[in-house]
Amino acid sequence: MITRFAPSPTGPLHLGHAYSAILAHDMAMAAAGTFLLRIEDIDQSRARPRWETRIYDDLSWLGLSWPTPVRRQSDHLPTYAAALDRLWRDGLLFPCYCTRKDIQTAASAPQEGAAMGPDGIIYPGTCRHLPKPSMRPTDCALRLDMAQVAQQISYIEKGEIHTIAASFLTTAIGDVVLARKDMGTSYHLSVVIDDAAQNISHVVRGRDLAEATPIHIILQKILNLPTPAYHHHRLIRDENGKRLAKRDDARAITTYRAEGATPNDIRQMVGLPAA
């Protein structure tokens, strides 16, 4: 078993992060496996070295350990670019010049209706049929053409081969963004490539990411990558039932540390047994 914890260095780790990291670590240790730490820093406009340093410090304080060097996404942008080139050559991507406001306006038109998918409002297809240049553009977003993807994905049921209906992929998931012009990639693409590169066998993450899992499995199929087992755990919430966020400094691990809490106190707060 190989699990991983993959935080973004954009703010302090809170109790929800502690729960996810400890759970992934403990599952791997119980199976005599390996726990990996990965830094998801593709958003360089928000990533900060001080937050990355604090991630290492907080997780070590919690008693977790991992092999080094740690994989940092910013070191692997050429790998993501190569995957985009492959998908572009296969005719599975199209350039998109829409702003968020454009998408909201188009999807909210009376004849359309704003359907929601894993990434929010399902893309209405505005740019899907625009002429495509021969070379993959880098000055715009790139979306996955789900109608084309449907022709490549099949599954076996009762010994018969079936294809996934294009209407399901386009109306329930939509043409998700795989590259943003300011990042060169996206969460969906980078996480799939990283998990394959690190031989992750079990992805342990919150239920808030469960809806993204079909997108990741689709990418694994069209890129010929293995599909790990997915374990979506409960979320840690505040007294009002709201999911914790990085801006909630009151529940940051460093805050509890400063107040004299121990690693086992953190485990007890999130409902895990003492180490």
Side-chain angles (χ1 to χ4, degrees):
M1 177 182 288
I2 302 178
T3 65
R4 49 79 166 172
F5 177 59
S8 299
T10 57
L13 297 184
H14 53 60
L15 289 180
H17 294 115
Y19 177 73
S20 191
I22 295 171
L23 187 62
H25 177 271
D26 287 1
M27 286 176 62
M29 296 303 100
T34 303
F35 168 78
L36 300 179
L37 176 62
R38 182 165 74 224
I39 300 298
E40 296 194 341
D41 61 345
I42 56 172
D43 187 353
Q44 288 290 293
S45 67
R46 299 174 59 219
R48 298 290 184 272
R50 70 178 185 275
W51 294 125
E52 183 173 337
T53 299
R54 187 174 296 186
I55 287 171
Y56 301 141
D57 187 42
D58 283 343
L59 295 181
S60 295
W61 176 79
L62 285 171
L64 310 188
S65 60
W66 52 87
T68 56
V70 169
R71 184 180 177 94
R72 299 169 73 250
Q73 289 184 330
S74 58
D75 295 332
H76 297 278
L77 296 181
T79 303
Y80 311 137
L84 290 169
D85 287 337
R86 172 180 172 179
L87 295 174
W88 182 264
R89 290 193 301 268
D90 290 345
L92 299 179
L93 299 178
F94 65 87
C96 177
Y97 301 91
C98 297
T99 64
R100 291 184 179 181
K101 185 177 180 180
D102 293 335
I103 295 171
Q104 186 172 12
T105 299
S108 300
Q111 69 273 20
E112 295 289 344
M116 302 299 290
D119 270 355
I121 296 176
I122 291 180
Y123 183 66
T126 308
C127 296
R128 188 183 300 134
H129 303 296
L130 293 179
K132 299 179 183 178
S134 57
M135 299 295 292
R136 175 175 66 85
T138 57
D139 62 344
C140 61
L142 296 177
R143 290 183 178 273
L144 186 63
D145 191 332
M146 285 298 188
Q148 294 298 318
V149 168
Q151 300 179 24
Q152 296 199 17
I153 295 182
S154 61
Y155 63 96
I156 299 177
E157 182 179 352
K158 296 180 180 179
E160 297 181 357
I161 298 178
H162 302 265
T163 58
I164 297 177
S167 59
F168 169 77
L169 294 181
T170 56
T171 60
I173 297 178
D175 302 320
V176 296
V177 172
L178 291 192
R180 304 183 187 279
K181 65 178 181 178
D182 54 344
M183 294 185 193
T185 183
S186 71
Y187 165 72
H188 295 310
L189 181 67
S190 59
V191 74
V192 163
I193 291 176
D194 291 340
D195 284 342
Q198 294 189 290
N199 297 313
I200 302 300
S201 65
H202 291 72
V203 173
V204 181
R205 60 190 186 190
R207 289 176 184 167
D208 55 325
L209 289 171
E211 288 190 347
T213 298
I215 298 173
H216 299 166
I217 293 175
I218 287 169
L219 288 173
Q220 288 153 0
K221 288 185 177 298
I222 61 178
L223 290 170
N224 296 318
L225 300 175
T227 296
Y230 286 92
H231 173 76
H232 297 105
H233 58 69
R234 62 183 175 87
L235 301 179
I236 303 299
R237 302 180 182 275
D238 62 19
E239 62 275 7
N240 298 316
K242 185 178 180 181
R243 179 168 63 91
L244 300 185
K246 285 184 177 178
R247 60 183 174 272
D248 189 3
D249 289 346
R251 291 172 179 78
I253 296 174
T254 49
T255 300
Y256 289 108
R257 292 176 62 181
E259 294 173 349
T262 68
N264 277 333
D265 289 334
I266 300 297
R267 283 177 169 267
Q268 183 177 17
M269 290 178 195
V270 297
L272 291 172

